[in-house]
Amino acid sequence: DAKTTQPNSMESNEEEPVHLPCNHSTISGTDYIHWYRQLPSQGPEYVIHGLTSNVNNRMASLAIAEDRKSSTLILHRATLRDAAVYYCILKDRAGSYQLTFGKGTKLSVIP
Amino acid sequence: NAGVTQTPKFRILKIGQSMTLQCTQDMNHNYMYWYRQDPGMGLKLIYYSVGAGITDKGEVPNGYNVSRSTTEDFPLRLELAAPSQTSVYFCASGLGGYNEQFFGPGTRLTVL
């Protein structure tokens, strides 16, 4: 699975939007872009995934660049519960079974 | 649905002891996984299974064994525990391929 690059940490004020970037310049045509988050002392939790088009669900939005070399996870209104480590992961549909976790971005939400 | 459950939540082992970490899922998923997470790091895959009776090694399998006799259960066995196995262990399940994985709450293991 191809590699991703994320900032180590970010801060956001509560109730403001958060844009978490991810670079994946070596992405292949069959790689899906997945986002998971891990709240303190919990297991990872699926957030969203996409291939080419922007995606929305109840938790977040995923904006994918036209060349697919980068993507942005958007939390529309950050809450204190959104403070977590966010992982951007590339996953080939038919490739290896594992999710390859990097160090992710630690998001702090300021009240 | 309980999702993915893991027992125990915490365990302290002495060097050389053995133990089994239990994992059960009630979502009828064929794919199950064991990961470990060392402090400040991302998760690494230990073993995975694509169905009952089928298991395979992940990135860091040394010192561990698994079995998959039913769809629901995927226990992880540690033989001859070593301090390097001090970690948090997460079990996950899913439909495979590009589909999401569902994670359990983890087992925090310390080997002294």
Side-chain angles (χ1 to χ4, degrees), chain A residues 43-63:
Chain A
E45 173 187 33
Y46 167 81
V47 177
I48 200 167
H49 77 275
L51 183 61
T52 56
S53 304
N54 294 345
V55 184
N56 300 297
N57 67 18
R58 64 175 179 81
M59 289 181 70
S61 296
L62 176 60

Side-chain angles (χ1 to χ4, degrees), chain A residues 29-72:
Chain A
T30 55
D31 282 334
Y32 282 76
I33 302 160
H34 286 245
W35 284 83
Y36 282 75
R37 72 179 185 180
Q38 188 173 20
L39 278 64
S41 301
Q42 294 190 26
E45 173 187 33
Y46 167 81
V47 177
I48 200 167
H49 77 275
L51 183 61
T52 56
S53 304
N54 294 345
V55 184
N56 300 297
N57 67 18
R58 64 175 179 81
M59 289 181 70
S61 296
L62 176 60
I64 301 172
E66 197 168 332
D67 63 4
R68 300 211 326 126
K69 294 184 183 300
S70 66
S71 60
T72 302

Side-chain angles (χ1 to χ4, degrees), chain A residues 4 6-8 85-87 100-106, chain B residues 37 39-43:
Chain A
T4 62
Q6 300 178 252
N8 290 333
V85 178
Y86 287 78
Y87 298 98
T100 303
F101 287 81
K103 292 189 177 181
T105 297
K106 184 174 183 179
Chain B
Q37 184 174 33
M41 305 297 287
L43 283 70

